[in-house]
Amino acid sequence: AESRPIKGTRGRGATAGEDAALVAELRTSEKDRQENLMIVDLVRNDLGRVAEAGTVQVPELFKIETYHTVHQMVSYIECRLRGDVDAVDAVRETFPMGSMTGAPKRRTLMLIDELEELPRGAYSGGIGYFTLHGAADLSVGIRLAVLRPGRRAWMGAGGAVLAGSDPLGEWAEAGVKAGAVTRAWA
């Protein structure tokens, strides 16, 4: 099993130099590294419940990946599932993904339920497939739109909040994340 949580986002720069500066800023951001590491630890714990002992590994930590509209800090966690665990069991033990809940997961889920006015629906849910041969490939809906009749749409985007987070910075990061989806509507 493998997981590739994303925590840490920067928009793309207008020039190559600005783009490089944003990558460097993300790479060295203590706040983004703390967020990413918190989720890596949570995913390691989740996978540890279904993994063969000693097989949970983190081959990539704090890797910066560049996409059309954003730079992302991504880590990679993998394990070998125990013989008595199948893909359905693994998903049952790991979802919802910690990158969407934070830690501690159970308490955070209760807070989300108390504070958010609407259920998240497809946003932050698992999107993917299970095969008849026991494999699965799932992603987490982190930037998506749900279209409704009458050209109405709903979308979700967010960020991680830690004790030292700047609320305006988190709001701005959510806007960067939502930008590609909202521009598609324009």
Side-chain angles (χ1 to χ4, degrees):
E2 61 185 50
S3 180
R4 299 184 67 235
I6 299 170
K7 278 294 165 204
T9 304
R10 294 294 182 280
R12 296 296 306 270
T15 66
E18 188 178 300
D19 216 33
L22 288 165
V23 168
E25 176 187 312
L26 179 57
R27 183 173 279 116
T28 59
S29 166
E30 191 60 34
K31 175 220 177 254
D32 291 301
R33 292 167 74 91
Q34 287 175 1
E35 286 179 9
N36 196 287
L37 186 59
M38 173 183 70
I39 301 310
V40 166
D41 286 344
L42 197 154
V43 171
R44 287 175 58 231
N45 181 65
D46 286 350
L47 287 176
R49 292 197 304 269
V50 295
E52 287 183 8
T55 66
V56 178
Q57 298 178 27
V58 183
E60 292 181 343
L61 186 65
F62 309 142
K63 180 180 178 187
I64 306 300
E65 295 182 358
T66 297
Y67 298 93
H68 183 69
T69 59
V70 295
H71 302 289
Q72 303 275 200
M73 183 180 286
V74 182
S75 291
Y76 177 66
I77 304 102
E78 64 183 8
C79 73
R80 191 169 41 251
L81 295 178
R82 291 191 325 261
D84 64 327
V85 172
D86 64 13
V88 173
D89 297 325
V91 170
R92 189 175 288 129
E93 287 297 320
T94 58
F95 269 74
M97 293 305 298
S99 59
M100 298 306 291
T101 64
K105 189 186 276 190
R106 288 204 168 114
R107 178 62 182 137
T108 305
L109 286 170
M110 287 189 281
L111 289 170
I112 288 169
D113 192 46
E114 286 176 31
L115 297 172
E116 293 186 0
E117 294 179 20
L118 300 170
R120 290 184 172 186
Y123 170 67
S124 78
I127 300 169
Y129 61 89
F130 292 85
T131 71
L132 296 176
H133 304 290
D137 192 1
L138 298 162
S139 293
V140 178
I142 60 174
R143 290 169 207 130
L144 55 83
V146 176
L147 304 178
R148 306 229 188 263
R151 294 187 44 86
R152 295 182 53 217
W154 178 95
M155 73 165 295
V161 178
L162 301 175
S165 293
D166 169 32
L168 292 178
E170 293 300 328
W171 182 250
E173 182 178 326
V176 167
K177 292 174 180 177
V181 177
T182 58
R183 281 190 299 278
W185 286 329

